[in-house]
Amino acid sequence: MSFYDSAVPAYLQILSSLSGLLDKADAYAQAKKIQPEVLLAARLFPDMLPLSKQIQITCDHAVRGSARLSGGEVPSFPDTETTFGELKQRLAKTADYVKSVKPSLFDGAEDREITFPIGGGKTMTLKGQQYLTSFSLPNFYFHATTAHGILRMCGVEIGKRDFLGAN
Protein backbone atom coordinates (compact mmCIF):
# COMPACT_ATOMS: atom_id res chain seq x y z
CA MET A 1 0.00 0.00 0.00
CA SER A 2 1.35 3.40 -0.91
CA PHE A 3 1.80 6.07 1.71
CA TYR A 4 -0.78 8.20 -0.10
CA ASP A 5 -3.26 5.31 0.19
CA SER A 6 -2.54 5.05 3.90
CA ALA A 7 -3.54 8.66 4.55
CA VAL A 8 -5.74 10.33 1.97
CA PRO A 9 -8.67 7.86 1.76
CA ALA A 10 -8.91 7.85 5.58
CA TYR A 11 -9.05 11.63 5.69
CA LEU A 12 -11.63 11.82 2.90
CA GLN A 13 -13.90 9.13 4.34
CA ILE A 14 -14.25 10.84 7.70
CA LEU A 15 -14.48 14.37 6.28
CA SER A 16 -17.42 13.18 4.19
CA SER A 17 -19.05 11.39 7.10
CA LEU A 18 -18.73 14.48 9.30
CA SER A 19 -20.58 16.47 6.65
CA GLY A 20 -23.38 13.90 6.86
CA LEU A 21 -23.38 14.14 10.65
CA LEU A 22 -23.78 17.90 10.42
CA ASP A 23 -26.75 17.43 8.06
CA LYS A 24 -28.39 15.16 10.62
CA ALA A 25 -27.58 17.58 13.44
CA ASP A 26 -29.09 20.49 11.51
CA ALA A 27 -32.26 18.49 10.76
CA TYR A 28 -32.45 17.41 14.42
CA ALA A 29 -32.12 21.01 15.63
CA GLN A 30 -34.88 22.13 13.29
CA ALA A 31 -37.21 19.25 14.22
CA LYS A 32 -36.69 19.78 17.96
CA LYS A 33 -36.70 23.58 17.68
CA ILE A 34 -33.19 23.81 19.16
CA GLN A 35 -31.09 26.79 18.21
CA PRO A 36 -28.19 25.47 16.09
CA GLU A 37 -25.78 27.47 18.24
CA VAL A 38 -26.67 25.24 21.18
CA LEU A 39 -25.42 22.14 19.37
CA LEU A 40 -22.42 23.94 17.89
CA ALA A 41 -21.34 25.05 21.38
CA ALA A 42 -22.00 21.67 23.02
CA ARG A 43 -19.12 19.95 24.81
CA LEU A 44 -18.70 16.51 26.34
CA PHE A 45 -17.33 18.15 29.48
CA PRO A 46 -16.82 21.82 30.42
CA ASP A 47 -13.04 21.71 29.94
CA MET A 48 -13.30 20.18 26.45
CA LEU A 49 -13.66 22.03 23.16
CA PRO A 50 -17.10 22.52 21.58
CA LEU A 51 -18.48 20.73 18.53
CA SER A 52 -17.54 23.53 16.12
CA LYS A 53 -13.90 23.47 17.25
CA GLN A 54 -13.78 19.65 17.05
CA ILE A 55 -14.79 19.88 13.37
CA GLN A 56 -12.25 22.63 12.69
CA ILE A 57 -9.42 20.69 14.33
CA THR A 58 -10.35 17.52 12.44
CA CYS A 59 -10.05 19.55 9.23
CA ASP A 60 -6.73 20.99 10.37
CA HIS A 61 -5.26 17.53 10.90
CA ALA A 62 -6.31 16.39 7.42
CA VAL A 63 -4.85 19.51 5.79
CA ARG A 64 -1.67 19.58 7.83
CA GLY A 65 -1.12 15.84 7.49
CA SER A 66 -1.54 15.96 3.72
CA ALA A 67 0.70 19.00 3.37
CA ARG A 68 3.47 17.78 5.63
CA LEU A 69 3.53 14.23 4.28
CA SER A 70 3.68 15.50 0.70
CA GLY A 71 6.46 17.97 1.51
CA GLY A 72 4.25 21.00 0.86
CA GLU A 73 3.54 24.21 2.71
CA VAL A 74 0.77 23.99 5.30
CA PRO A 75 -2.10 26.27 4.28
CA SER A 76 -3.91 28.26 6.91
CA PHE A 77 -7.68 28.02 7.23
CA PRO A 78 -8.92 30.53 9.84
CA ASP A 79 -11.48 29.20 12.32
CA THR A 80 -14.38 31.55 11.51
CA GLU A 81 -17.23 29.07 11.06
CA THR A 82 -20.30 29.64 13.25
CA THR A 83 -23.06 27.67 11.48
CA PHE A 84 -23.65 24.13 10.27
CA GLY A 85 -23.47 25.40 6.70
CA GLU A 86 -20.16 27.14 7.26
CA LEU A 87 -18.70 24.03 8.91
CA LYS A 88 -19.88 21.93 5.95
CA GLN A 89 -18.11 24.40 3.64
CA ARG A 90 -14.96 24.01 5.74
CA LEU A 91 -15.19 20.23 5.42
CA ALA A 92 -15.64 20.54 1.65
CA LYS A 93 -12.73 22.98 1.33
CA THR A 94 -10.58 20.60 3.36
CA ALA A 95 -11.55 17.62 1.20
CA ASP A 96 -10.80 19.66 -1.94
CA TYR A 97 -7.34 20.48 -0.60
CA VAL A 98 -6.61 16.86 0.37
CA LYS A 99 -7.76 15.67 -3.08
CA SER A 100 -5.54 18.28 -4.77
CA VAL A 101 -2.31 16.83 -3.39
CA LYS A 102 -0.76 14.62 -6.05
CA PRO A 103 -0.15 11.01 -4.93
CA SER A 104 3.43 11.10 -6.23
CA LEU A 105 4.27 13.83 -3.70
CA PHE A 106 3.80 11.26 -0.93
CA ASP A 107 6.58 9.07 -2.35
CA GLY A 108 9.27 8.71 0.30
CA ALA A 109 7.07 10.32 2.95
CA GLU A 110 7.63 7.47 5.39
CA ASP A 111 11.28 8.51 5.78
CA ARG A 112 10.80 12.28 5.43
CA GLU A 113 11.60 14.24 8.59
CA ILE A 114 8.59 16.31 9.58
CA THR A 115 8.97 19.14 12.06
CA PHE A 116 5.77 20.67 13.40
CA PRO A 117 4.67 22.92 16.28
CA ILE A 118 3.36 21.27 19.44
CA GLY A 119 2.46 24.39 21.41
CA GLY A 120 4.27 26.58 23.86
CA GLY A 121 6.71 27.67 21.17
CA LYS A 122 8.08 24.11 20.91
CA THR A 123 8.40 21.84 17.90
CA MET A 124 8.68 18.11 17.40
CA THR A 125 10.37 16.18 14.60
CA LEU A 126 9.21 12.74 13.52
CA LYS A 127 9.78 10.54 10.51
CA GLY A 128 6.76 10.51 8.21
CA GLN A 129 5.69 6.98 9.20
CA GLN A 130 5.64 7.89 12.88
CA TYR A 131 4.04 11.27 12.17
CA LEU A 132 1.15 9.63 10.30
CA THR A 133 0.55 6.68 12.63
CA SER A 134 1.37 8.28 16.00
CA PHE A 135 0.26 11.88 15.54
CA SER A 136 -1.77 12.85 12.48
CA LEU A 137 -4.27 10.00 12.21
CA PRO A 138 -4.77 9.56 15.97
CA ASN A 139 -5.50 13.27 16.42
CA PHE A 140 -7.68 13.35 13.31
CA TYR A 141 -9.78 10.41 14.57
CA PHE A 142 -9.87 11.73 18.15
CA HIS A 143 -11.48 15.03 17.15
CA ALA A 144 -13.82 13.39 14.63
CA THR A 145 -14.93 10.85 17.23
CA THR A 146 -15.40 13.58 19.82
CA ALA A 147 -17.62 15.51 17.38
CA HIS A 148 -19.70 12.34 16.86
CA GLY A 149 -19.91 11.82 20.62
CA ILE A 150 -21.06 15.38 21.24
CA LEU A 151 -23.87 15.05 18.71
CA ARG A 152 -24.94 11.67 20.10
CA MET A 153 -24.91 13.10 23.65
CA CYS A 154 -27.20 15.89 22.42
CA GLY A 155 -29.70 13.35 21.14
CA VAL A 156 -28.93 13.32 17.43
CA GLU A 157 -29.79 9.84 16.21
CA ILE A 158 -26.49 8.71 14.75
CA GLY A 159 -24.40 5.60 15.17
CA LYS A 160 -21.21 3.93 14.07
CA ARG A 161 -22.40 3.54 10.46
CA ASP A 162 -22.91 7.31 10.32
CA PHE A 163 -19.39 7.86 11.64
CA LEU A 164 -18.02 5.55 8.99
CA GLY A 165 -20.06 7.22 6.28
CA ALA A 166 -21.92 3.99 5.53
CA ASN A 167 -25.43 5.48 5.86
Side-chain angles (χ1 to χ4, degrees), residues 22 38 50 54 63 69 113-114 116 118 131:
L22 292 179
V38 172
Q54 299 294 344
V63 166
L69 291 166
E113 288 206 348
I114 298 174
F116 56 98
I118 57 170
Y131 173 79

Side-chain angles (χ1 to χ4, degrees), residues 30 45 47 61 97 104 140 143 153 156:
Q30 290 177 34
F45 197 75
D47 67 352
H61 279 287
Y97 174 79
S104 62
F140 174 78
H143 291 285
M153 178 200 68
V156 180

Side-chain angles (χ1 to χ4, degrees), residues 127-145:
K127 293 281 189 184
Q129 179 71 42
Q130 188 178 13
Y131 173 79
L132 178 66
T133 60
S134 299
F135 185 81
S136 183
L137 285 177
N139 277 287
F140 174 78
Y141 283 118
F142 173 83
H143 291 285
T145 302

Side-chain angles (χ1 to χ4, degrees), residues 55-158:
I55 299 290
Q56 291 163 340
I57 293 172
T58 302
C59 290
D60 290 344
H61 279 287
V63 166
R64 292 172 184 165
S66 296
R68 290 177 178 138
L69 291 166
S70 66
E73 290 296 316
V74 176
S76 175
F77 294 165
D79 296 336
T80 59
E81 300 83 13
T82 60
T83 67
F84 286 123
E86 289 172 355
L87 285 170
K88 284 180 57 73
Q89 288 173 353
R90 171 77 173 262
L91 288 161
K93 183 167 86 169
T94 300
D96 287 345
Y97 174 79
V98 171
K99 289 176 192 174
S100 78
V101 181
K102 294 187 180 358
S104 62
L105 295 176
F106 285 80
D107 293 348
E110 61 274 9
D111 295 320
R112 185 175 290 134
E113 288 206 348
I114 298 174
T115 301
F116 56 98
I118 57 170
K122 296 179 183 178
T123 61
M124 178 180 281
T125 301
L126 299 172
K127 293 281 189 184
Q129 179 71 42
Q130 188 178 13
Y131 173 79
L132 178 66
T133 60
S134 299
F135 185 81
S136 183
L137 285 177
N139 277 287
F140 174 78
Y141 283 118
F142 173 83
H143 291 285
T145 302
T146 302
H148 179 277
I150 289 169
L151 291 173
R152 189 67 198 107
M153 178 200 68
C154 289
V156 180
E157 294 183 18
I158 52 175

